[in-house]
Amino acid sequence: MLLSNMELLATAPSGVAKLRELILTLAVQGKLVPQDPADEPAGVLLQKIQAEKDRLIAEGKSKRDKPLEEIAEEEKPFELPVGWEWVRLGSVMSLAYGSALPEKERLPGSIPVYGSNGIVGFHASALVSEPSLIVGRKGSVGAINISLVPFWPIDTSYFVTPPSGIELHFAFHLLRSLGLAKHDKATAIPGINRNDVYAEIVGLPPLAEQSRIVTRVEALMRLCDALEAKGQLEAAQHAQLVSTLLGTLTASTTPEELAAHWQRVAQHFDLLLDRPEAIDALEQTLLQLAVRGLLVPQDPTDEPASALLQKIRAEKDRLIATGQIKQGKPLPPITDEEKPFELPVGWEWVRINDLAEVQGGIQKTQLRTPVKQHFPYLRVANVQRDALRLEEIERFELTMEELERWRLIAGDLLIVEGNGSAEEIGRCAVWTGAIDPCVYQNHLIRVRCFQQDCMAFIKLFLNAPSGAEEMKRLAITTSGLYNLSVGKIRNYAVPMAPLAEQSRIVTRVTALRRLCADLRHRLAEREAVQARLAGALVASVA
């Protein structure tokens, strides 16, 4: 049943990882291989293990451990097969620090201890020279390996010594099935306590059955490896196909050429859009086509962008004359190197400073701690790419003059000025007026258009691939943080379409993004069905 459904299970979300967990679960419950009545039962095996422990204690080679609690009936998680026995892990295995190993079991010489940056020191004591189980006890807690490598950092690991009655590789799979990281006490330094591990309750099979279980587990894990490799290969091939086909769209130079390329892509929609990252790539492609003027047809009767820019200039001059904004320094003409693509007839390249007032936000200091007169403010976390997250809003202490200066109004564009990720720098969203009054922190930059009807198109360009890429290029890196300045945003060049065409583009993009959202929803529903089916199969096997 398990083998016949492995490929189906592997296609479910996180399917291969769940398959590996299922295989281990079945193995330690005695459901992976049949029992053989001729096997010496585990009860006899336990007697031999105890006799071996008593002999080592009598010879002074081992110390007697503290007695472990008896296993109560209610502690037993499942029914064991005939011939198996319940035991506490500490009664059949011992965990030792490397420094506690007997002298004759150590390798000669000093052993290097490795850290994240190479060798960080040397240890006089070393690892056993025979294959051993090693369990991470600090840092990467619960990591388990079978090792003969003499360079293991012994101060962060336990060495597990199974008795002769427990097959080494079975012990390995048994420990993996327990998920020992659950014993991490979440202190400043992650770590697991040996006594917690010793208290674990496990089923012990006959020795002969242990070997059969190991053989079966390792065969099934190799199948999982093959399924995983196949999935990775298919994912890479799929990503290449998506990139190639969508790349033909963005390479289009005319609406007619785009239409021809689109027909080719549309023939492969079922194949292309069968995973979330492909839908994301399609959406980014649509945004790029939109801001290049290839998504909707041009109308020769539209008033050209040059006439729109004259009106915007007149409004800016009026605001300067009435003292509502300051006269800034003139900016240089836009060079050909600054233009990432050729514009359609009737469009113009223009700097943001000629379209809008650009202003930084309020610096957070102790003086801003809310006391009497405080107001909501937006942080970087509140402004995502083309979305606002307003669930958690903090507050600033402000004077009424400061509130007036930094108060947001609906239609303001907010740009992230600093971020640790190059991919997130410059992300922006339009303020909706959902909270009023509201101001913004200095890690955000406000752009207030003189012609509010242009804001939706400007935001579209800034969040499209070419706009986001230019933001990344302009950012300054200091100590891993990417920064934009108010001056660079003012100097930023954006394409400006005729106002009527801007409206058509924004409407079209909104409709197409809704379709993308619908595709994601359908895909999520399909994956949920796959997950439920996989769960039902797992339940029937287990």
Side-chain angles (χ1 to χ4, degrees), residues 167-418:
E167 207 270 357
L168 182 70
H169 289 78
F170 177 78
F172 171 64
H173 295 308
L174 182 65
L175 289 170
R176 288 174 66 200
S177 74
L178 294 175
L180 297 180
K182 68 190 175 197
H183 292 304
D184 178 15
K185 300 302 183 184
T187 54
I189 300 176
I192 54 177
N193 183 281
R194 184 165 47 182
N195 291 332
D196 292 334
V197 179
Y198 280 169
E200 284 275 5
I201 300 168
V202 296
L204 182 67
L207 185 58
E209 188 173 344
Q210 292 178 32
S211 296
R212 295 197 300 274
I213 289 172
V214 168
T215 300
R216 185 62 170 158
V217 166
E218 292 181 353
L220 291 173
M221 289 299 180
R222 284 194 294 272
L223 277 177
C224 287
D225 292 342
L227 288 170
E228 198 165 48
K230 179 173 179 285
Q232 290 170 352
L233 180 62
E234 288 179 349
Q237 291 169 334
H238 186 274
Q240 183 61 47
L241 178 62
V242 170
S243 176
T244 300
L245 288 176
L246 295 184
T248 64
L249 300 182
T250 53
S252 305
T253 56
T254 65
E256 293 75 21
E257 190 178 348
L258 173 64
H261 290 156
W262 183 260
Q263 288 302 318
R264 185 182 304 125
V265 172
Q267 294 172 7
H268 302 283
F269 255 30
D270 289 345
L271 177 63
L272 285 176
L273 304 180
D274 67 343
R275 55 196 76 190
E277 56 270 25
I279 300 172
D280 294 341
L282 174 64
E283 187 168 357
Q284 290 300 300
T285 299
L286 294 172
L287 292 179
Q288 187 65 11
L289 294 172
V291 299
R292 289 180 55 199
L294 294 172
L295 205 56
V296 301
Q298 279 75 49
D299 186 339
T301 64
D302 286 342
E303 183 179 73
S306 56
L308 172 63
L309 292 177
Q310 289 177 2
K311 294 176 182 177
I312 292 174
R313 178 67 211 183
E315 175 62 12
K316 181 178 180 180
D317 290 343
R318 185 189 68 79
L319 293 171
I320 293 171
T322 56
Q324 296 181 57
I325 63 171
K326 294 180 180 179
Q327 173 78 57
K329 294 180 181 179
L331 297 175
I334 298 172
T335 64
D336 288 341
E337 289 74 23
E338 293 178 272
K339 302 171 183 177
F341 48 81
E342 189 175 346
L343 295 180
V345 175
W347 289 42
E348 298 283 345
W349 285 104
V350 60
R351 297 196 189 279
I352 284 180
N353 190 66
D354 295 325
L355 300 172
E357 178 195 17
V358 183
Q359 180 176 284
I362 306 171
Q363 185 174 3
K364 184 176 182 178
T365 68
Q366 288 293 329
L367 297 176
R368 299 294 180 194
T369 303
V371 180
K372 293 181 180 178
Q373 191 167 273
H374 46 84
F375 299 91
Y377 75 92
L378 298 185
R379 300 166 292 126
V380 168
N382 301 125
V383 179
Q384 300 300 308
R385 196 170 294 281
D386 205 19
L388 296 168
R389 291 182 182 170
L390 306 179
E391 297 84 4
E392 296 181 12
I393 298 292
E394 297 184 8
R395 300 178 75 86
F396 268 155
E397 185 78 10
L398 299 172
T399 66
M400 296 310 293
E401 291 78 10
E402 289 171 331
L403 174 64
E404 186 63 27
R405 179 181 176 187
W406 280 290
R407 187 171 186 167
L408 292 167
I409 62 173
D412 284 344
L413 182 70
L414 291 162
I415 300 175
V416 172
E417 170 259 343

Side-chain angles (χ1 to χ4, degrees), residues 69 83 135 245 471:
E69 291 185 10
V135 176
L245 288 176
M471 284 286 194

